[in-house]
Amino acid sequence: MAATAWIGCSLWDGVADTWRDDAGLVVGDDGRIAFVGAADEALAIARSADTGTDGPDGTAGVVELDGARVVPGLVNGHVHFSLALPGPMQDSVHSSTEADLVLLMAGNARDTLRAGITSVRLVGESRFADMALRRAIDAGLVSGPRIRTAGHALCCTGGHGWDADGHEADGADGFRRATREQLRAGADLIKVCISGGIAGEHEAIDTPQLTQDEMRAVIETAHAWGRKVTAHAGPAHVSEEAVALGLDGIEHGYELTAGLCASMAERGVWYTPTISVSRCEDFFVSNGVPTWMIDRALGAGPRHWESLQHAIAAGVPISLGTDMPPQAAYDGTTATVREMEHMQDAGMTALEVMRASTAAGAEWMQEQGQYGTLVPGAAADLVVLDGDPLADVAALRELWGVVKGGDVVRDDRGALRARVLS
């Protein structure tokens, strides 16, 4: 259709502090938002876009939402579509052919999109299958969220992630080359593992793994190419060194301090807490994760929670990320929604969590206004539901409609089919 008006909803655009009632938006045939405002204005604009040709391809359309709530599609900033935790998951990825791997990732991408996550930031995949999947999604060959990817995560020899196809390197020159290899493959950002974590058997969370020269080589090389760098990080003293060197983001941050968070806030360093990974015992057990990793993850939980609260109190910019598969079943909902509930329980308001889960993801990538918000020029990525997630993000447990780029990808009620305007 030349243009489609979505009308009769309460709309939150990812920017405002509250809902716009009796709202409408117009989606052009390019899948981008042409107008946001009053429902009657949206109808008028859609009609004016009618080309006047015969048949539905040249006419305006309308979707009547009957009071439903509409929010931007969610943005999950810490995703691995080829997640390879120790145990059967890792064995499966390592034994897979490249074709197997791409199909596995494509299935995860499809299910992620249906769960309401319309954009993802991949932070460490295998064999550059992420690049192939990104191309296929962009070309419309398979269904999935918008992908921004780091390629392989970088680590020292034997460092965190080496057994999950992390790119091992040593010395400043080695890390400089490794960074350039990800950029050559098409990386949108760089991910580097600067300490141990919960999934490395022969390390501890607080094991430092890169020298300052190695960290500097990654950060300076990526920045020279216009890419941001985020770091898998556990202890505060390692993170402090990286932040001082110009790091852009911290993933997990299992042991942040109030002082470090104050420095992060001052420098605009982002935090993606992935708080779920230190409290998702059922997920670990169901996927055959070894006991040593489960014990380490759960043991990190109290300090991890405190880190998130330090970040909230200091005003650190926070973006949503799960590390768990975004669509994975978790406590009666998806990992993505459960992560949002954890963030709210830790002290963020529902509005702050919603911003961290939509607009913030695009801002992290310096792509404000392209997705994550419902404003003119942005991709028409919508989540449709009945409840009020600005009051309690648990309302997202009952989402029933998902739209990406103007295309309906989930419609549990059969209510999102556009009819031709007469």
Side-chain angles (χ1 to χ4, degrees), residues 57-69:
D57 288 340
T59 58
V62 61
V63 178
E64 298 181 33
L65 291 163
D66 295 327
R69 296 187 188 269

Side-chain angles (χ1 to χ4, degrees), residues 33 39 63-64 103 163 171 177 195 203 243 261 284 290 316 334 372 377 391 418:
I33 296 171
V63 178
E64 298 181 33
L103 289 170
D163 51 356
R177 178 179 179 85
S195 78
E203 63 189 35
V243 167
C261 288
F284 290 146
V316 174
T334 64

Side-chain angles (χ1 to χ4, degrees), residues 114-184:
R114 284 187 51 80
I117 301 95
T118 53
S119 300
V120 295
R121 182 165 59 98
L122 303 183
V123 286
E125 299 291 354
S126 179
R127 287 169 270 174
F128 296 120
D130 47 326
M131 309 297 181
L133 179 60
R134 181 180 61 186
R135 289 191 295 271
I137 291 173
D138 288 347
L141 300 176
V142 297
S143 178
R146 184 176 298 97
I147 287 178
R148 300 293 181 261
T149 184
H152 289 253
L154 308 184
C155 64
C156 66
T157 296
H160 185 80
W162 75 269
D163 51 356
D165 285 341
H167 186 130
E168 294 176 280
D170 292 292
D173 286 344
F175 273 96
R176 193 173 290 112
R177 178 179 179 85
T179 301
R180 288 171 176 160
E181 289 176 351
Q182 308 316 304
L183 297 169
R184 178 180 63 189

Side-chain angles (χ1 to χ4, degrees), residues 83-95 284-290:
L83 184 64
L85 295 178
M89 295 177 78
Q90 191 173 92
D91 295 341
S92 176
V93 170
H94 285 177
S95 64
F284 290 146
V285 171
S286 66
N287 284 281
V289 170

Side-chain angles (χ1 to χ4, degrees), residues 223-305:
H223 285 180
W225 287 62
R227 306 300 198 281
K228 297 175 78 171
V229 180
T230 197
H232 163 101
H237 67 279
V238 174
S239 299
E240 286 168 352
E241 293 179 350
V243 167
L245 291 169
L247 185 70
D248 301 296
I250 288 179
E251 311 293 312
H252 313 304
Y254 296 114
E255 299 175 0
L256 303 183
T257 62
L260 172 57
C261 288
S263 179
M264 290 170 62
E266 181 180 355
R267 293 171 177 263
V269 178
W270 286 81
Y271 181 40
T272 306
T274 70
I275 201 72
S276 295
V277 298
S278 58
R279 44 199 24 85
C280 59
E281 182 176 8
D282 289 348
F283 173 77
F284 290 146
V285 171
S286 66
N287 284 281
V289 170
T291 300
W292 64 260
M293 180 179 160
I294 297 175
D295 291 344
R296 186 184 297 174
L298 300 182
R303 188 65 184 80
H304 193 191
W305 190 265

